[in-house]
Every structure is written in structure tokens, then in C-alpha cells.
Amino acid sequence: MMQPARHSALPGFNLTFGITLLWLSLIVLLPLAALILRPWELGLAGVWHSITEPRVLASLRLSFGVAALAAVVNVPFGLLVAWVMVRYRFPCRNLADSLIDMPLALPTAVAGIALTALFAPKGWIGALLTPLGIKVAYTPLGILVALIFVGLPFVVRTLEPVIMDLPLDSEEAAATLGATRSQIVRRVVLPALIPALLAGFGAALARGVGEYGSVIFIAGNMPMISEIAPLLIVIRLEQLDYAGAAALGLVMLLVSFAILLLLNLLERRIHQRT
Amino acid sequence: MPDFRMTRRSTMFVTLAAAAAGPVRAADTTLLNASYDPTRELYREINRAFAVAWQKEAGQRIAINMSHGGSGAQTRAVLDGLPADVVTLALAADIDALARRGMIAANWQTRLPDNASPYTSTIVFLVRKNNPRAIRDWSDLIEPDVAVITPNPKTSGGARWNFLAALAWAQREPGATAASAEAFMRDLFHHVPVLDTGARGATNSFAQRGLGDVLLAWENEAWLARKELGPDEFTIVYPSLSILAEPPVAVVDSVVDKKGTRVVAEAYLRFLYSKEGQDIVAKHYYRPRDPAVVATYAERYPALKLVTIGDFGGWDVAQATYFADGGMFDRIFTPGK
Amino acid sequence: MNLSATQESPAVRVGLTALTVVLLVTLLLLPLAVVFTEALKHGLAIAADALVAPDAIAAIELTLIVAAISVPLNTVCGLAAAWCIVRFRFSGRGLLITLIELPFSVSPVISGLVWILLFGANGWFGPAFDRAGIRVIFAIPGLVLATTFVTFPFVVRTLIPLMEQQGASEEEAALTLGATGWQTFWRVTLPNIRWGLLYGVLLCNARAMGEFGAVAVVSGHVRGQTMTMPLQVEALFNDYDWVGAFTIAGLLSMLALLTLVVKAALEWRIGSRGGPLL
């Protein structure tokens, strides 16, 4: 199946293709094959039972729900940051721009204990919120904060190049026709950004669903309430339920894929229409 | 340039080879002890003392590595190939799981004195300074707005002892039925805002993160938390009834036979029963077995009405009834029942 | 023409900028500040002690060893993959790209779990490796495999857009002039992509050293033996050693800051962002 269709003048296809395939098979495909095949030792009914337990469903709902919510919050946040970074000049802009990648460079465990220390009832921010009756650490809200943290750069970095490439003349043309700024933003700018917003949303969502390190420190880890699906996988492993752990892992993988596929289709639809 | 590349490449191979060989430590023999969460400080001191004693006795330098985690998690790791020479876990059920897979002889509990538990402990309450919520007994835990911290019984051995101690009390209330006991447990866990995977995580939630009004803890963990985090900050409350927790120890036969470390591993566990070992045990707030040592530290161990795991029909029954999938713990977390 | 309609009013611009700065400071800078504050709460000397504790040094060593193996492996293979994907058209090419990017959409926990399923005592190959006396899980090979899985796509992802943009004309010219394939690679391709390559390696390394979820599953948590720095942070956190935990976390944070600085320098060098990060 994988034959070079075009004989390029360049050498090295067989060597590099061989290395790639070998490496991919050993590091990615073989392990994932284990993930796909292992659950079935429970039998079809067993797998079904194992992934439809109320606690499992609750954890999946939480993981996908909070990740989606965080991605939704990150859309306006990311849009704001990307817009300001591309269109405005202000002191320390370069510094601020470099800072945006912090959540990607910072180890997730460090992010986890740092956010926990910040939002714990005695922490810098937690102490301000506690009198207002807002509890962040050890509640689903804490998971939301952690996922907003890890997801923000995905939205910003997806939007920035698109905002940079926005043709200014269409904004100018609209202005010539007497449109106000808010009309231009709503009718000209935002529609052009929708595919990138969707892509950023999808990337933040994909990352948030599987996130573990930053979340377990700040989530309360209560079954049915604040227990994320990756933690339940770890708990199942610790209970020696390998097949059950693999089954849950497989479900997460499939749902993530389905969501990304859906977003891709949606993006293509919008592209075709414009 | 090609020479340079060769050096780079050979450096990488050296690194790989070194990595495969593992870190080298200056000792004749190393043991790995896979233990549960709150024993970190205890075994740090035991290991030091045993190394000295063993050098004197056998003329051999020994280094003991530790791995800590929830008791269930540690069992999983050993089953999955963590090469632990000895396991020192929170409850017998976990070592039984290793015995069922043939890694430890089935008679492990009779190979050492006292059910192979060189020390015992019990479950107590740790509350904040001066006990502001006036928590005296199990019934106070389900008062409105009282938040109880306990780890997850699915992964933590201590949490299973907590669970059984609470249940034992509920079962012995006047007029108690199976349904009333389960209702109490459901009520109790509705007062739990965080379920950590290990006992140490729960202590951290309570003590460092300031969560909850009462921590259900090992007696030793409660005393240690009080010592480490400020005696003025916390008060220990002994309930009217608790459970005799027997954390057992065993040599992992399949590992020591392969590594040839049986002699020293057995000596290590026997050291726990020695006068010196028992003294260290007591210093870390566990209850020693040696009556002479108990007498020395008598003021630390208030007399307490204790049930045993035998009252629940042994670990096999308790595990299946309460903690297995679909057991009581799962039921009390299922909504609508 | 209504000029004011092509940009926001000054008041709005100031407001939006202020909002952005507040957002970035609270969300990104405060967590960092908290790490260093907690680490230095009892003075520099105590933090320094925590840094040279034997277990801390062992964790730093192990982290470096794991990164020193998995980053070069992913670099070499990433180069090979980028070469065959960018320079050749073949059926299944799209599928190959998707598969290479797969590890990004997998939860770190699953990235560790799969190795247990393969090499755990009850895994497919566990018993055979055990008989051969080769320890994979709960030892360095397991940590390396989990880290390699997680960081698999970084180098390829950075190189593909860069090499596509550069085109193959220089390489084709070199070949026409009689250079061998290897000569072309070393003299033409590599110099052209070196900054982009470095960029990919940098990101790969940052993730390799900071990975938590995947290594937590395969580590076994043996003090001084199988604890990488992020795992050591968690362990110290659980030891009531608040300062120790935040000190190691501070070291990792400095690594992250260094990564960002080098990254900014490389972006300036490449003249643009080296493709979307991740």
C-alpha cells in the first residue's frame, strides 16, 4: 500500500521510510494495539459493564464536560490575548508573548502544586475568594482552572497567525461603506476567525480531556463529583483491573477521536461556505 | 567531523549501557522495601539502624531502598514486577493477593510472630486545635456541616481500616441493623469532600491544605502529623470504639530467591521484632508487640475498645463484601439508592 | 471614509490590553511566583540543602538520563520521518502523519498504561522479558519508553512545515552536481533546518523532563532509583517537605523559563514562529 507514487529525484526514501515505520510501530502502534486488544479478555458484556458503571460515566462526563467548558472559556480569553498581541503595541509585549507558552513548558506536576497553593483556602487567590463563598481548590471548579491554564496557549497560538494574515483591506472597505467598528468586528473579522477558533477550541479540548498532572493536585478526586477519567484509569490499575483500565483508556481515545473528527468536518464545512 | 560524530555516537551507547545497568550504589547488597504511605519516617530510621546492625552481624554493607504509595497501589506494582524483596503493607489482604499469584508462600502469616505484624495501630480522629466542632465519637462525624477527610478505600489500606472502624461502631449501636449501618456509612461519606488515593495525601489535605474538620487517620499518622506540623494546631481524639489494625510484613519469595537476598531480607524483618526495632517502632507512634517496650511508652497508648478484622470474618470476606466492585463502598456512592 | 472604524478606539485598546495583562499575570505568572516564594520561604540555605539531598540529586540524574536517551532517539527518527513525509508523495502519507501525531491526543496516563499492558508481569511480553532478566517497567527502560511515546511527535511536527516551506530545490541542485545523498543531507539539508530542528528538540526536551502522568504509571516510585524530578516533587509534597517539593518544582520552573528564553531566541533566528507549537 505504501509505495512511493512519485519517484522523486531525492534519495533515501527506503531508509527514512523504514526507520519511520519501525519507530512508529515500536513506540506507538504496538502499545496502542495492546490498549485496543486488552479489554476484550473481559468479554463483550464485561467491557460494556466496565465502561457503563455509574462512576465511570460520571468521570467521563466530568473529563469531557470540564475540558469542553475550559475550551469554551479559552475561546474569548485566547481571542483577546491573540488580538492584543498581534494588533497592539505596548511595553513588554515581547515578554508577554513569550509567557503565553509557559503552560506548555512548565511540567504539569509543577503547575498542579502551584495552582493548588494559589487557590487553596489559605492561598493568595483562595484567601480572596473564600470570603465570597467561592471554593476553587478540591472542587470541579479547580479542574476548570487547571484546564484553562493548560489550554490557553493552544487557542492563542492557533489564532495569532490567522489574525496576522487577516486582509486589512476588507476591514477598510467596510469602513468606507460606513460600518462602525463593532459592526466590522462582528460581520467581517469574527467570521474570518471562526475556523481558527474552532481549531483552537479542538486543540484545547483534546489536551484538557487527557490532562492528569495539573488536575489531580487541585481536584478533590471524589468519585461521581470531581474524579477525572484518567485518575479512574490509575485507580483501576491499582486495583489490578488491567482490562478495565484499558477499556476506559480505549473509550477515552475513541471519544477524543470522534470529537476531533467532528470539529475537522465542521471546520471544512465552514471553509467551503466562505 | 566524522570522528566527532563517532564519539557522539559512542557516548550515547555508553549512556544507554549505563542506563540499562541502573544506578550503582556503594553497598554490597541492596534490598527494596515496598511499603504503604505513612511508614516513610519509620523505615527511614529502621533502615539506618538495621544497616548498622547487619554490618556488625554479617560484615556486609547493605542499602535499603524504599518505595511508598497506597497499599493497593504497591501491591499492584509488586505484581507487575517491582522487584521488592520485602513488602510491609497496610493490611493482610494485599499480601494475600501476592500469595495468590504465587509470589509469596501461602503460609506467610505464620512465618513470623504475631500474624507477621511486628507492630499494630488503630484508627483515631485528628481534629483542629481545641476541637472546635466538639467531635468526640463516630456519631459526631455526621453532624451537619462537619467535613470528614479519609482516603479512598479502593486504593488505600488505611482507608479500609477507617471504613471498617466506622462500620464496626455503626453495627454496635443499640438497635442497629445491616440497613442502619449502611445508612450511617452513606451519611458519613456524604461528609467527605476529598478522597485521596493514599493516607499521606489525606493527611496533607487536612493539615496543609486546611480541608475538613476531622481526619480519620492511623494513630501513628495522627501523632506524626501533630509532631511535624505543630502540636498546637491539632488535637487527637480517641473514639469510643475502633479497630485493631495489623499492618503485616513478608519476604517476597519469588524475588529474594532470584536475587539471592533471602537471608538478609529475613533478618531485616526479624529486626523489626528485636528490642531495638520495637523501640524505633514505638518512637514513631506505632504500637509495639514487645510488652516491655509497650510498658516504656505506656502513656502513648490509651486503652481503647478494639474490634478486629476477625469480627468481620477475615479479609477475604471483608474485601468482597465492602470493597470489591459492587460492594458496600460502591453502593454508597451510587446515586438514587 | 470612517477611519476610526478600522481600529478600536484608544479607550478600548487600553482596556483590552490591560485585561490581557491582568489575565496573563494571574493565570501564568502567579503560579510561577508561588513556586519560588514557597521554595524560598525559609531562606536560600534550606532550599539549597533540599537541592543537594541525595534523593534529589538522584532524581535530577535520572531525569537527565531519560531525556538523554529519548530526545536523541526522537530527533533521529523525527528527521527520518520528516524527510520521507515532506520529500516524497506516497499513498498512506496522510495516514502516516495522523499516526505520528497520535500521541498528542492520548492522555499521559494512557501513555504509561500501554507499557504496563505490554511489559507488566501480566503483559504480552512481560513474562518473556522477566525470564531473560530484563526489567522494563519500574526501571529506566520503562521510563524511557513512556517518555519517548509522549514526546514522539515534537521534532517531526516542527520540521514538516519548515521543510515544506523551504522546498527541495537546493538538495536537488546538490545531487545534480554530484553530491551523494549523505553529503547532501549533512551539507545542505541539515544547515538549512538546524534552527528549526533545535526548536523541535527544545520542545521535545522540555516535555521529556517535565512529564508526570506517563512516568508516574511506570515508575514504581523507588526513592533514589526510579523517581524523576516531577515524581520527586509529588513525593516530597507527601513527605510534609513543603520546601523540598517547591524547591525541585522551582528547578523545573527555571528549566521552563530557560526553554521559553531559548525558544524566543530561536524564533527570532528562524524569523517566524516555528509552526504552531504542539
Side-chain angles (χ1 to χ4, degrees):
Chain A
M1 173 180 104
M2 291 196 181
Q3 284 295 313
R6 188 197 68 162
H7 284 279
S8 163
L10 296 170
F13 177 78
N14 288 336
L15 176 71
T16 55
F17 186 71
I19 293 179
T20 308
L21 213 57
L22 179 71
W23 194 231
L24 185 71
S25 309
L26 285 181
I27 296 294
V28 179
L29 299 184
L30 184 66
L32 286 181
L35 183 72
I36 292 167
L37 297 179
R38 193 66 189 263
W40 308 106
E41 65 190 41
L42 295 171
L44 196 61
V47 170
W48 181 249
H49 177 77
S50 147
I51 59 177
T52 53
E53 268 177 37
R55 193 168 160 203
V56 172
L57 293 179
S59 76
L60 286 171
R61 246 193 320 269
L62 181 75
S63 278
F64 285 94
V66 180
L69 195 59
V72 166
V73 173
N74 268 330
V75 165
F77 278 13
L79 183 59
L80 170 74
V81 174
W83 186 262
V84 169
M85 288 297 160
V86 174
R87 288 286 174 102
Y88 303 166
R89 292 291 168 271
F90 57 95
C92 300
R93 194 193 69 96
N94 284 333
L95 185 72
D97 190 51
S98 301
L99 205 64
I100 291 169
D101 283 327
M102 175 56 74
L104 300 173
L106 197 69
T108 53
V110 176
I113 65 166
L115 289 172
T116 308
L118 266 185
F119 286 96
K122 291 177 190 164
W124 295 349
I125 300 183
L128 300 177
L129 295 177
T130 309
L132 307 175
I134 303 171
K135 280 190 211 153
V136 177
Y138 321 115
T139 68
L141 203 56
I143 307 179
L144 184 68
V145 169
L147 295 188
I148 290 174
F149 175 82
V150 297
L152 183 66
F154 291 89
V155 182
V156 178
R157 294 305 187 215
T158 321
L159 278 172
E160 273 180 341
V162 181
I163 295 180
M164 233 177 276
D165 290 346
L166 275 184
L168 278 175
D169 43 356
S170 55
E171 284 178 57
E172 277 160 15
T176 321
L177 295 174
T180 64
R181 185 61 192 157
S182 72
Q183 280 173 329
I184 293 174
V185 169
R186 265 185 293 125
R187 304 265 173 80
V188 180
V189 176
L190 280 183
L193 292 181
I194 284 179
L197 283 170
L198 265 179
F201 173 85
L205 176 69
R207 173 67 194 263
V209 165
E211 181 57 26
Y212 178 71
S214 61
V215 174
I216 51 153
F217 289 94
I218 199 168
N221 303 333
M222 286 292 292
M224 311 297 298
I225 298 163
S226 55
E227 183 179 65
I228 54 168
L231 177 65
L232 197 54
I233 293 180
V234 173
I235 291 177
R236 283 194 161 173
L237 260 186
E238 295 184 347
Q239 292 170 28
L240 302 172
D241 182 7
Y242 298 88
L248 184 49
L250 188 57
V251 170
M252 285 191 70
L253 201 64
L254 293 179
V255 179
S256 296
F257 266 138
I259 291 177
L260 287 183
L261 206 67
L262 207 71
L263 285 170
N264 265 337
L265 284 177
L266 207 61
E267 216 181 303
R268 221 172 281 172
R269 265 274 181 80
I270 294 169
H271 253 300
Q272 278 167 0
R273 229 186 290 155
T274 48
Chain B
M1 269 315 262
D3 289 339
F4 172 66
R5 282 205 303 278
M6 275 313 293
T7 0
R8 281 291 296 279
R9 207 172 300 161
S10 37
T11 316
M12 206 178 93
F13 279 119
V14 171
T15 319
L16 273 169
V24 183
R25 293 280 177 269
D28 301 331
T29 313
T30 58
L31 286 185
L32 175 58
N33 176 355
S35 194
Y36 61 111
D37 246 339
T39 58
R40 296 156 197 259
E41 294 75 14
L42 167 69
Y43 280 107
R44 199 173 300 151
E45 195 170 343
I46 288 276
N47 292 349
R48 223 178 287 135
F50 176 71
V52 173
W54 187 248
Q55 169 117 47
K56 229 179 281 168
E57 189 186 321
Q60 204 181 25
R61 275 180 312 169
I62 179 130
I64 297 146
N65 292 315
M66 294 304 302
S67 167
H68 291 280
S71 192
Q74 293 297 74
T75 309
R76 189 273 295 183
V78 174
L79 276 176
D80 251 337
L82 182 73
D85 303 87
V86 299
V87 285
T88 54
L89 296 176
L91 39 84
D94 286 333
I95 299 187
D96 281 338
L98 296 174
R100 264 197 303 279
R101 305 279 179 107
M103 301 185 73
I104 294 176
N107 67 345
W108 65 270
Q109 216 160 9
T110 55
R111 293 195 296 197
L112 287 164
D114 302 318
N115 293 329
S117 299
Y119 41 82
T120 66
S121 189
T122 185
I123 300 302
V124 301
F125 303 162
L126 190 68
V127 298
R128 305 210 179 273
K129 184 167 70 176
N130 300 331
N131 199 355
R133 305 300 303 257
I135 290 159
R136 307 260 170 259
D137 205 355
W138 295 100
S139 56
D140 299 321
L141 302 184
I142 56 169
E143 288 293 311
D145 293 335
V146 170
V148 182
I149 307 293
T150 174
N152 185 347
K154 292 268 188 175
T155 49
S156 155
R160 272 176 264 180
W161 291 112
N162 290 348
F163 187 100
L164 292 178
L167 186 63
W169 176 85
Q171 286 170 341
R172 281 160 186 73
E173 277 299 273
T177 61
S180 76
E182 186 161 331
F184 172 77
M185 294 309 287
R186 182 184 309 254
D187 214 355
L188 177 63
F189 275 89
H190 279 153
H191 286 78
V192 178
V194 190
L195 273 184
D196 291 283
T197 50
R200 189 47 69 85
T203 314
N204 261 329
S205 290
F206 177 76
Q208 308 236 21
R209 304 170 178 176
L211 233 67
D213 302 300
V214 52
L215 172 74
L216 306 187
W218 294 96
E219 183 183 36
N220 52 281
E221 181 78 350
W223 281 101
L224 179 76
R226 203 168 159 268
K227 186 177 125 204
E228 290 276 325
L229 306 165
D232 315 328
E233 300 249 350
F234 305 103
T235 308
I236 294 171
V237 173
Y238 282 84
S240 65
L241 177 93
S242 193
I243 192 162
L244 175 72
E246 294 185 301
V249 301
V251 165
V252 184
D253 296 295
S254 63
V255 173
V256 293
D257 287 343
K258 201 180 206 174
K259 284 173 64 182
T261 47
R262 177 177 288 280
V263 174
V264 57
E266 284 175 349
Y268 177 65
L269 292 187
R270 270 197 315 277
F271 180 77
L272 292 167
Y273 291 89
S274 71
K275 172 81 182 60
E276 193 184 358
Q278 290 282 295
D279 213 54
I280 296 174
V281 158
K283 251 167 59 193
H284 289 271
Y285 309 100
Y286 292 79
R287 296 186 173 213
R289 292 289 195 177
D290 186 336
V293 181
V294 175
T296 320
Y297 293 88
E299 85 287 356
R300 276 193 187 176
Y301 308 113
L304 190 59
K305 210 166 110 200
L306 297 175
V307 300
T308 68
I309 186 62
D311 295 325
F312 290 96
W315 272 114
D316 281 346
V317 178
Q319 188 72 23
T321 317
Y322 307 115
F323 308 119
D325 282 347
M328 185 192 277
F329 180 71
D330 277 353
R331 279 202 305 278
I332 63 179
F333 268 105
T334 311
K337 277 193 195 169
Chain C
M1 146 173 148
N2 182 5
L3 257 182
S4 71
T6 55
Q7 51 176 260
E8 290 82 25
S9 68
V12 173
R13 295 167 74 100
V14 170
L16 290 182
T17 309
L19 207 59
T20 301
V21 171
V22 168
L23 182 71
L24 292 182
V25 167
T26 34
L27 199 58
L28 305 181
L29 220 49
L30 272 190
L32 216 55
V34 124
V35 169
F36 291 114
T37 313
E38 292 286 341
L40 299 174
K41 201 158 64 179
H42 300 293
L44 198 60
I46 291 184
D49 281 350
L51 220 47
V52 296
D55 283 355
I57 289 179
I60 296 169
E61 272 174 20
L62 180 63
T63 308
L64 293 176
I65 290 176
V66 169
I69 301 171
S70 51
V71 174
L73 284 178
N74 274 337
T75 305
V76 172
C77 299
L79 265 171
W83 180 268
C84 86
I85 285 171
V86 175
R87 297 292 185 242
F88 300 92
R89 293 289 172 274
F90 49 91
S91 51
R93 185 171 165 274
L95 179 68
L96 190 62
I97 297 176
T98 312
L99 289 177
I100 285 175
E101 290 182 357
L102 202 60
F104 275 157
S105 42
V106 172
S107 171
V109 168
I110 298 176
S111 316
L113 166 71
V114 289
W115 298 106
I116 302 250
L117 296 180
L118 283 182
F119 293 106
N122 301 300
W124 287 357
F125 310 121
F129 273 69
D130 194 44
R131 271 194 300 278
I134 302 171
R135 188 154 294 296
V136 178
I137 298 300
F138 309 127
I140 291 177
L143 295 170
V144 169
L145 287 171
T147 306
T148 309
F149 182 97
V150 171
T151 54
F152 189 81
F154 279 93
V155 174
V156 203
R157 265 297 274 275
T158 337
L159 287 183
I160 289 178
L162 185 69
M163 286 170 69
E164 237 153 31
Q165 185 199 329
Q166 285 178 345
S169 48
E170 282 186 47
E171 283 141 6
E172 277 159 0
L175 287 166
T176 319
L177 293 174
T180 67
W182 279 114
Q183 282 170 331
T184 311
F185 174 74
W186 285 108
R187 306 262 171 83
V188 180
T189 311
L190 209 53
N192 273 344
I193 59 167
R194 63 188 164 186
W195 299 117
L197 182 65
L198 213 56
Y199 188 88
V201 169
L202 180 79
L203 300 182
C204 183
N205 182 63
R207 182 70 192 267
M209 290 189 172
E211 178 53 32
F212 176 74
V215 292
V217 175
V218 297
S219 150
H221 303 279
V222 184
R223 302 284 170 123
Q225 302 260 308
T226 63
M227 304 283 276
T228 62
M229 283 160 73
L231 296 175
Q232 186 72 9
V233 169
E234 189 203 20
L236 291 171
F237 195 73
N238 285 337
D239 277 0
Y240 303 129
D241 190 351
W242 203 245
V243 170
F246 276 102
T247 303
I248 307 282
L251 194 61
L252 284 168
S253 306
M254 289 205 278
L255 179 80
L257 286 172
L258 184 71
T259 304
L260 292 186
V261 170
V262 178
K263 185 174 156 295
L266 284 174
E267 276 166 1
W268 175 75
R269 198 74 222 211
I270 305 168
S272 76
R273 220 174 275 298
L277 188 71
L278 287 177

